[in-house]
Amino acid sequence: MSDTPGVPAPRHAADTYGTCVLLKHGEVFLKGRNRHRFTERLHDNLRLALRGIGGSTWIKSAQNVTVLGGQVPQEALLERARRVIGFNSVEPAVRVPSDLDAITAAAVDALGAIPHGATFAVRTKRRDKRFPLTSSRVDAHIGARVLARVPGLRVNLARPDVTLAVEIDRGETYLSWERLPGRSGLPVGSSGRALVLLSGGYDSPVAAHRAMRRGLACDLVHFNGAPYTNPSSVYKAYALARELNRYQPPGLLHVIALGTAQKQLAVAGAGRLQVVAQRRLMVRTASALASRSGAEALVTGDSLGQVASQTLANLVAVDEASALPVLRPLIGWEKQEIIDEARSVGTAGISVLPDEDCCTLLAPPRVSTRAGLPRLRSVEKRLDLDEVVETLLGAARTFRPGADEDAPVPSGDCPAPA
Ligand code: ATP
Ligand code: MG
């Protein structure tokens, strides 16, 4: 594994032997007796991520490691595997028979490609204890052969430029020298299903991604201000959902036009409570929607105190209207941390685009930071809330952004891309 800038991974070795990709398990490996269930889920998600890659692939299980290979370029395997949540690291590797001569030849070939003067170390892990040499003897054997055959290299065990990892399994051995970070976490779906309230901003897509990393399969619901706003926020929500669905077996995106109900709240005298009253209507509607699709919790991108509608009192007032628990993965995050993560997830470039957000429609000049429940209830009493929710759900449009063409799309037409 090269951790020195400027030292290129000696990839040409991969052409000489069978190439593969090593996927090191994340938290799955902590899961005692349930481990096989989590591993199966992880592999199901990996298989789904490999669909349509353009050639046959195979997956092999070793202890806390998944080996991935196939008749497709290694780069393509890496690209797909790096999106699957549940792997701590993703390593391009070569695969040889578990035979000391074959392993040594592959090691010489791999390290023969690193620059003159660079330092290296060999670290062997012997998962098959029947292999005749101990790990440290394999290290020493390979190190000596490399020094003899590749002029200009030096050993540095403390701070090597390149670390060659040798993992000996029964029958096969894997050599790797580059470690790419994976998405870690628990396999999507292993913790159940949630419904994420997705706006067009930075926060809620990052919250969705964090929820996925704790094992939640996520459906998404976006409220727009139609008929009083243009559809720009829907295009953004669709593009965000497509990006997020690359990390999970594609979930649904529901789009609900909230404008008319927002007007009803304003006419009922919500005043400074308008934003919190709208948010309560969103979670009420989302709870009803979630129970129809088997989601057991809602997820939002709230961060405590970030804006007036996210004070503790207002979050409590919102929770009171939800029939389901409201999870807030970003509650303690700062805005800059959220934006940095949005860049890494790949949603920042979409979130930054301008849109007409339903929350700014009818927003009062000053939002109450302490929306009292009695006042909220007296505003809501002037509407028939059950009927409002039914009407909103009746007009919801549903998509499955990013799914294969043959996957079922429950209803609605796809909006134009953002
Ligand atoms: P974001 O960047 O996610 O838009 P924000 O800082 O703008 O967050 P708010 O507008 O107060 O915060 O929204 C808080 C949370 O409420 C959002 O993270 C999202 O989960 C939910 N939410 C807000 N607006 C909508 C919407 N139009 N549709 C669905 N959910 C929404
Ligand atoms: Mg927002």
Side-chain angles (χ1 to χ4, degrees):
M1 282 151 275
S2 166
D3 48 12
T4 304
V7 178
R11 268 175 209 263
H12 85 277
D15 301 329
T16 319
Y17 305 98
T19 61
C20 63
V21 174
L22 297 185
L23 304 163
K24 302 289 169 66
H25 295 182
E27 272 188 56
V28 165
F29 87 91
L30 296 174
K31 299 284 166 199
R33 278 193 299 173
N34 281 333
R35 190 187 302 169
H36 73 278
R37 197 166 57 77
F38 284 83
T39 309
E40 269 170 29
R41 175 79 68 166
L42 190 57
H43 287 176
D44 286 347
N45 292 349
L46 178 60
R47 274 184 214 102
L48 259 173
L50 293 168
R51 278 218 322 226
I53 197 170
S56 65
T57 54
W58 51 262
I59 292 173
K60 192 182 145 188
S61 236
Q63 214 183 359
N64 300 327
V65 181
T66 294
V67 188
L68 169 64
Q71 305 295 327
V72 282
Q74 194 183 37
E75 285 300 332
L77 294 176
L78 289 169
E79 202 266 325
R80 300 289 182 109
R82 287 192 74 188
R83 287 194 158 258
V84 178
I85 289 172
F87 296 116
N88 270 354
S89 68
V90 175
E91 302 174 19
V94 292
R95 192 166 59 100
V96 296
S98 286
D99 161 87
L100 190 60
D101 288 343
I103 297 169
T104 309
V108 168
D109 195 14
L111 293 174
I114 68 175
H116 197 83
T119 59
F120 74 97
V122 181
R123 308 239 193 273
T124 300
K125 197 184 285 170
R126 197 175 48 131
R127 280 196 287 270
D128 177 13
K129 298 293 180 212
R130 295 169 320 165
F131 191 79
L133 295 187
T134 61
S135 299
S136 53
R137 286 192 57 202
V138 176
D139 288 348
H141 177 88
I142 293 177
R145 289 295 189 290
V146 169
L147 287 175
R149 303 216 184 126
V150 186
L153 291 193
R154 284 174 297 125
V155 170
N156 182 338
L157 297 181
R159 289 181 56 83
D161 295 327
V162 176
T163 301
L164 178 74
V166 178
E167 303 188 16
I168 303 176
D169 259 358
R170 188 187 291 193
E172 289 192 338
T173 292
Y174 313 105
L175 296 93
S176 66
W177 48 89
E178 190 181 5
R179 173 173 286 175
L180 308 169
R183 290 269 154 197
S184 65
L186 294 172
V188 174
S190 61
S191 300
R193 180 163 289 277
L195 179 61
V196 181
L197 279 80
L198 183 75
S199 63
Y202 285 105
D203 307 344
S204 42
V206 172
H209 187 257
R210 281 280 154 175
M212 288 177 199
R213 285 181 53 183
R214 296 319 299 160
L216 285 168
C218 291
D219 291 325
L220 311 158
V221 57
H222 172 71
F223 295 90
N224 77 323
Y228 303 110
T229 54
N230 68 30
S232 54
S233 77
V234 180
Y235 298 159
K236 273 177 83 175
Y238 191 88
L240 288 168
R242 193 171 44 195
E243 197 59 36
L244 290 168
N245 273 345
R246 291 165 65 133
Y247 295 102
Q248 65 167 358
L252 298 176
L253 168 68
H254 307 280
V255 176
I256 298 180
L258 199 67
T260 305
Q262 289 179 261
K263 266 258 162 74
Q264 287 174 303
L265 286 170
V267 169
R272 287 185 64 194
L273 306 185
Q274 177 77 23
V275 173
V276 178
Q278 284 169 193
R279 211 45 65 70
R280 277 167 64 87
L281 183 55
M282 285 184 193
V283 296
R284 216 181 279 278
T285 309
S287 298
L289 188 58
S291 59
R292 294 178 187 183
S293 61
E296 294 170 291
L298 304 182
V299 173
T300 73
D302 293 304
S303 151
L304 188 61
Q306 191 191 77
V307 288
S309 60
Q310 296 174 26
T311 60
L312 185 56
N314 285 348
L315 295 182
V316 170
V318 170
D319 281 0
E320 199 269 343
S322 175
L324 291 178
V326 182
L327 307 180
R328 297 185 170 94
L330 308 185
I331 197 70
W333 289 42
E334 288 174 24
K335 194 73 188 185
Q336 192 55 49
E337 291 175 306
I338 297 171
I339 294 173
D340 291 346
E341 176 126 332
R343 290 203 181 101
S344 135
V345 171
T347 52
I350 305 165
S351 294
V352 75
L353 299 171
D355 67 353
E356 270 187 22
D357 173 26
C358 77
C359 293
T360 47
L361 176 74
L362 302 171
R366 286 186 61 219
V367 175
S368 169
T369 53
R370 262 194 170 276
L373 278 181
R375 273 227 44 215
L376 281 164
R377 287 201 188 110
S378 84
V379 170
E380 289 170 350
K381 258 210 305 245
R382 293 181 203 138
L383 278 68
D384 182 341
L385 276 183
D386 289 343
E387 199 186 299
V388 172
V389 169
E390 269 315 306
T391 307
L392 291 173
L393 292 182
R397 290 179 299 152
T398 302
F399 313 98
R400 204 186 282 277
D404 292 352
E405 269 125 48
D406 54 357
V409 176
S411 70
D413 298 312
C414 293

